[in-house]
Amino acid sequence: MSHDLPPLNALRAFEATARLNSVSQAAEQLHVTHGAVSRQLKVLEEHLGVSLFIKDGRGLKLTDAGVRLRDASGEAFERLRSVCAELTQSTADAPFVLGCSGSLLARWFIPRLGRLNADLPDLRLHLSAGEGDLDPRRPGLDALLVFAEPPWPADMQVYELVSERIGPVMSPRFAGYERLRNAPASTLLSEPLLHTTSRPQAWPIWAQQSGLDDKALKYGQGFEHLYYLLEAAVAGLGVAIAPEPLVAEDVKAGRLVAPWGFRETPAQLALWLPKRAADGRARQLAQWLKNELRQTP
C-alpha cells in the first residue's frame, strides 16, 4: 500500500460524493461527467487498497474506511476553502499599486482618474510615480504602465495596449511658430530642439521614421524628464518631441500644435505584471486602459 497522498482529483471526487451522498450530484458540482467521478473513486480505492463505498439498493453507502476518510477529507477541504476565501478577500481588499512615469501620470492618467474610479469602483487603485526606477518584481508594486519595445521579459505577463506614436510639438507662443508651422519636417534639422535625457532616442526615431538623417539633428535645451520637457514646450521655449496620448489634450485645446503629425515607433504602451503574481484586477485595468486610449483624441 502506498504511503503517498492519493491524487487530488480523486480526493476531491470522493469528498464531494461522500458529502452529497451522490455520484451524480458530485459530478454536477465538480462540472465533470458521472463516469469521470466513478473513475476517480476507483483510482482512490486502488491507491488506498480498501473499499470506500458499497452498493445500498440503487445508491451507495460508505464503508467504515469511507466514513473515516469522509470525516478527514471533509475537514481538510473545508479548511482549504476557508483559507482560500480569506486569501481572496485579502487580495480584493488590498489596493492595486500601479507604477508609471510622472509625465504619463500627470498628463494622461490623473485627468481620467475620476472616470476610472467610477467605472472600476472595486479596484482601489494606488498610483506610484517614478522615472525608470519602477520594477513590478519588487515588493510594493503590483504592475507597471510603461512605453517599451518587445521582446518582453520572460517573467512578465504583458498586456499590450496601443502602439506608441511620437511627434514634434510646439506652442503658438513660441517665437519661431510662424516660421515653422507651415514648413516641411526637414526644417527641424536646423532647429535647436528641446529634448529629454530620459528618452534620448525619441528624436532620432522620429527622424528615421520621417525619412530624415537623424545624425543631422541639433539639440538645444535638455530636461531630465519628459514632464518638464512638455511644460517647456507649452511655455513656448521651443519644439519638443512627445508621445501622442500625452499631448493630445493640449493639441485639442490649442496649447500645442503638431504640424508634422505623429509617427509610429516599435514601442508599445503596455501593462506589465509578474507572471508569478497574476491578478484578475490587472485584466480589468488593461481592458479599461485600452478602451480609454482608443478614445484619446
Side-chain angles (χ1 to χ4, degrees):
M1 182 176 67
S2 173
H3 294 285
D4 294 332
L5 278 174
L8 181 58
N9 283 342
L11 282 172
R12 288 182 71 232
F14 169 80
E15 187 274 336
T17 303
R19 173 167 43 84
L20 299 168
N21 199 32
S22 167
V23 173
S24 297
Q25 290 184 42
E28 183 177 349
Q29 186 176 92
L30 297 174
H31 306 290
V32 297
T33 65
H34 185 288
V37 172
S38 296
R39 286 191 294 275
Q40 291 296 342
L41 295 178
K42 184 177 180 182
V43 166
L44 184 59
E45 289 182 329
E46 289 176 351
H47 182 95
L48 297 173
V50 297
S51 295
L52 299 171
F53 294 97
I54 56 174
K55 288 190 177 295
D56 184 23
R58 298 181 63 184
L60 293 174
K61 181 180 178 180
L62 286 165
T63 64
D64 289 343
V67 170
R68 291 180 62 191
L69 188 59
R70 177 199 64 190
D71 294 344
S73 63
E75 182 180 342
F77 275 97
E78 184 55 36
R79 179 61 180 151
L80 283 170
R81 291 187 193 99
S82 176
V83 171
C84 289
E86 290 173 6
L87 292 174
T88 301
Q89 187 61 43
S90 175
T91 300
D93 289 343
F96 187 86
V97 184
L98 175 66
C100 65
S101 70
S103 53
L104 184 56
L105 177 61
R107 290 190 153 265
W108 191 87
F109 220 120
I110 287 178
R112 293 163 174 79
L113 199 51
R115 190 153 59 240
L116 183 146
N117 290 334
D119 292 343
L120 302 176
D122 297 329
L123 181 60
R124 294 192 60 210
L125 185 68
H126 179 82
L127 294 162
S128 177
E131 299 291 340
D133 57 347
L134 296 172
D135 189 338
R137 301 176 184 87
R138 298 174 184 169
L141 204 64
D142 293 306
L144 179 66
L145 185 63
V146 62
F147 284 106
E149 294 184 22
W152 310 121
D155 61 343
M156 286 288 162
Q157 180 174 354
V158 177
Y159 295 92
E160 296 182 6
L161 303 175
V162 68
S163 295
E164 182 188 49
R165 287 165 50 84
I166 60 174
V169 293
M170 62 180 176
S171 167
R173 299 162 59 188
F174 174 45
Y177 173 74
E178 291 297 336
R179 171 175 53 85
L180 292 175
R181 67 189 183 101
N182 293 317
S186 57
T187 306
L188 293 181
L189 294 178
S190 57
E191 189 72 22
L193 304 170
L194 303 180
H195 61 100
T196 172
T197 54
S198 66
R199 191 76 191 278
Q201 72 274 28
W203 274 116
I205 288 175
W206 175 82
Q208 292 164 14
Q209 300 289 69
S210 302
L212 303 176
D213 181 6
D214 63 289
K215 295 182 178 58
L217 292 167
K218 297 180 180 178
Y219 297 104
Q221 179 70 53
F223 298 87
E224 186 177 2
H225 301 307
L226 179 59
Y227 179 79
Y228 305 138
L229 172 70
L230 297 181
E231 287 298 303
V234 171
L237 298 184
V239 183
I241 188 84
E244 187 175 16
L246 272 60
V247 293
E249 294 293 339
D250 288 303
V251 171
K252 183 179 178 181
R255 291 186 292 270
L256 291 173
V257 294
W260 304 280
F262 296 88
R263 300 280 183 174
E264 192 168 301
T265 79
Q268 289 271 336
L269 180 60
L271 185 68
W272 292 19
L273 69 157
K275 287 181 178 178
R276 58 172 171 75
D279 191 322
R281 295 175 296 175
R283 190 180 306 108
Q284 284 184 302
L285 178 59
Q287 188 57 56
W288 187 89
L289 290 168
K290 188 173 288 190
N291 291 339
E292 281 295 313
L293 286 160
R294 288 198 193 108
Q295 297 171 34
T296 298

